[in-house]
Amino acid sequence: MVNNSFANESIRCSVTDCKFHHCDKNYCSLGTITVGTHETDPKECQCVDCESFKAKNEGLA
Ligand code: SF4
């Protein structure tokens, strides 16, 4: 069970479909996250991703 009652105010996030998103506030509930890129030569913000993302219903049958 994910505990997302903690709001890490150092990590603002609006991805409410992520299971680690805080329920009420636009923060991540993790202590740390990993950011990466899916591009070979990233040039814009859209080129980078939160690699800690997990879909809210991931792992549920
Ligand atoms: S893991 Fe990434 S996408 Fe998910 S709430 Fe935290 S910062 Fe947002």
Side-chain angles (χ1 to χ4, degrees):
M1 190 71 188
V2 174
N3 175 10
N4 56 0
S5 59
F6 168 68
N8 185 341
E9 296 187 355
S10 297
I11 307 175
R12 283 194 289 264
C13 180
S14 60
V15 185
T16 55
D17 287 327
C18 178
K19 70 159 66 169
F20 300 119
H21 190 266
H22 185 276
C23 311
D24 308 318
K25 303 173 186 171
N26 271 342
Y27 293 111
C28 183
S29 64
L30 295 175
T32 62
I33 60 164
T34 300
V35 175
T37 182
H38 53 272
E39 304 282 347
T40 51
D41 186 21
K43 298 274 193 253
E44 301 180 292
C45 189
Q46 296 96 304
C47 300
V48 301
D49 311 290
C50 176
E51 294 182 343
S52 300
F53 170 86
K54 286 208 189 310
K56 242 181 191 163
N57 54 4
E58 190 175 303
L60 298 180

